[in-house]
Amino acid sequence: AQTVTQSQPEMSVQEAETVTLSCTYDTSESDYYLFWYKQPPSRQMILVIRQEAYKQQNATENRFSVNFQKAAKSFSLKISDSQLGDAAMYFCACLSGNTPLVFGKGTRLSVIA
Amino acid sequence: DSGVTQTPKHLITATGQRVTLRCSPRSGDLSVYWYQQSLDQGLQFLIQYYNGEERAKGNILERFSAQQFPDLHSELNLSSLELGDSALYFCASSVDDRTHEQYFGPGTRLTVT
């Protein structure tokens, strides 16, 4: 069974600073996909970024980038130039084989003005 | 706005009752997924439909059922409701059953009293 672990229940960052959210996963599949979703207070789940396991290059979406360490099964999210609107719950998720999307427990990010 | 719509937004009902949650996927998406988000269980996959057929099943209780109609909208039926069924229920959609980006609706908050 695949698992996703987010070891940081809460994080905080100063506005304009950079923060990194950690995620580790475990899957026996060689073909899998990793995602970060953001859930702001509105509770909407918003796809932030995705990474295909077969790609060595780390995915980037504007201020969001990932550090994908395949051997270590690590998939961290870096948020640069943090903004107040980045405050939310962030969920790491893994999709592999015939297993549906599995989510971690989430990290609550606070942004301090 | 993800393009996925869910109704109703909020639902309050009593134990033992039955409710139906409705989801309309993004235009062109054939696959619909249902998730339950509760405080103690986190985000859990319930069931997936692809073009009208059940494709994958997760931790869905026997009291719960779902279907996808010819126009691709989906309904999640919850019966014999218990207090523990109170949760946020999300629907997500994707282009096909293996595409790796799922877009989430705003959710239906169910409160069972």
Side-chain angles (χ1 to χ4, degrees):
Chain A
Q2 74 191 29
T3 59
V4 177
T5 303
Q6 293 178 251
S7 58
Q8 306 153 316
E10 295 184 359
M11 293 279 285
S12 63
V13 62
Q14 292 280 347
E15 201 175 0
E17 295 295 309
T18 296
V19 64
T20 299
L21 309 184
S22 301
C23 172
T24 57
Y25 62 93
D26 192 19
T27 177
S28 57
E29 301 285 337
S30 57
D31 181 23
Y32 57 91
Y33 299 78
L34 299 165
F35 305 86
W36 278 97
Y37 279 88
K38 170 185 176 181
Q39 188 177 40
S42 66
R43 308 309 299 267
Q44 173 81 48
M45 292 288 288
I46 302 165
L47 177 62
V48 175
I49 199 165
R50 80 170 206 181
Q51 174 80 42
E52 295 90 336
Y54 62 84
K55 286 188 178 177
Q56 293 192 343
Q57 188 171 6
N58 289 324
T60 299
E61 285 288 338
N62 301 313
R63 297 182 296 107
F64 298 87
S65 61
V66 298
N67 183 4
F68 174 45
Q69 301 288 326
K70 193 169 184 177
K73 293 187 176 177
S74 168
F75 182 62
S76 59
L77 175 70
K78 185 170 88 170
I79 307 174
S80 304
D81 186 25
S82 296
Q83 301 174 359
L84 294 177
D86 295 333
M89 281 288 285
Y90 286 83
F91 293 94
C92 178
C94 178
L95 176 70
S96 67
N98 291 320
T99 307
L101 205 53
V102 173
F103 289 87
K105 296 283 188 192
T107 296
R108 183 175 302 281
L109 178 67
S110 302
V111 180
I112 303 162
Chain B
D1 185 356
S2 67
V4 179
T5 61
Q6 288 187 248
T7 56
K9 210 168 186 174
H10 302 278
L11 202 47
I12 302 174
T13 189
T15 54
Q17 295 299 305
R18 173 190 167 95
V19 297
T20 297
L21 312 184
R22 182 188 168 104
C23 167
S24 291
R26 292 186 318 162
S27 177
D29 284 1
L30 298 178
S31 206
V32 169
Y33 309 78
W34 285 98
Y35 294 87
Q36 179 194 58
Q37 185 179 32
S38 59
L39 280 174
D40 54 343
Q41 296 290 329
L43 259 162
Q44 292 211 64
F45 167 73
L46 295 178
I47 198 164
Q48 177 201 356
Y49 279 83
Y50 173 69
N51 205 19
E53 308 247 333
E54 183 184 303
R55 186 57 62 103
K57 219 167 186 175
N59 299 320
I60 187 166
L61 300 171
E62 283 192 15
R63 300 182 285 108
F64 297 180
S65 65
Q67 54 184 325
Q68 187 179 27
F69 295 86
D71 66 352
L72 300 177
H73 90 272
S74 178
E75 293 180 358
L76 179 67
N77 301 296
L78 315 176
S79 61
S80 303
L81 285 167
E82 302 175 358
L83 295 177
D85 298 328
S86 296
L88 194 52
Y89 291 85
F90 284 108
C91 166
S93 73
S94 64
V95 169
D96 54 41
D97 66 336
R98 288 310 295 160
T99 197
H100 306 105
E101 291 186 5
Q102 294 180 24
Y103 292 89
F104 281 72
T108 292
R109 177 167 294 285
L110 173 66
T111 303
V112 183
T113 62

